[in-house]
Amino acid sequence: AKKWINIRKSYRNFYKVPRNQTKLTIMLENLGMNYDGRPHSGLDDSKNIARIAIRMLQDGCDLRVNERIHGGQLMTVSSSVPLEGAPAPQMPRYRN
């Protein structure tokens, strides 16, 4: 993975909150959600981050790649840069 979405950056920019409001538990709390699972469990953290991402999409956020590795260096990707062939984010489809 050389490109990804830093959900904290996206959350901060979309909801216009200061950096100290982007801890996972604070983001969930601000969205009216409780933390599900055990803190610092990789699987539970991932599920909670996914819940935040879904909520952001529902609120109209255009989640886009905002960080990448180039030459071993972490770089910020401008939101105006096209996504080199990546598909637009889609709302998850639920199976009945």
Side-chain angles (χ1 to χ4, degrees):
K2 294 189 180 198
K3 295 184 267 184
W4 61 89
I5 297 170
N6 179 328
I7 200 75
R8 292 175 197 263
K9 280 185 180 180
S10 296
Y11 179 94
R12 185 173 71 237
N13 291 332
F14 184 68
Y15 293 113
K16 308 293 188 235
V17 298
R19 182 177 236 159
N20 66 355
Q21 294 291 303
T22 61
K23 280 184 61 177
L24 182 55
T25 54
I26 293 172
M27 290 189 293
L28 287 164
E29 183 180 308
N30 289 342
L31 293 173
M33 300 178 193
N34 292 319
Y35 186 92
D36 287 344
R38 297 169 312 187
H40 307 297
S41 159
L43 181 58
D44 292 337
D45 284 352
S46 297
K47 288 178 181 178
N48 284 291
I49 291 167
R51 292 172 54 223
I52 291 169
I54 290 167
R55 173 62 183 276
M56 291 176 69
L57 290 168
Q58 290 170 339
D59 287 348
C61 181
D62 182 21
L63 290 176
R64 298 179 62 113
V65 170
N66 57 16
E67 286 187 349
R68 68 185 177 105
I69 292 287
H70 181 72
Q73 297 291 319
L74 175 65
M75 304 185 80
T76 296
V77 175
S78 169
S79 61
S80 62
V81 173
L83 296 180
E84 304 163 14
Q90 300 291 317
M91 287 299 296
R93 294 184 183 165
Y94 297 99
R95 294 183 184 183
N96 292 331

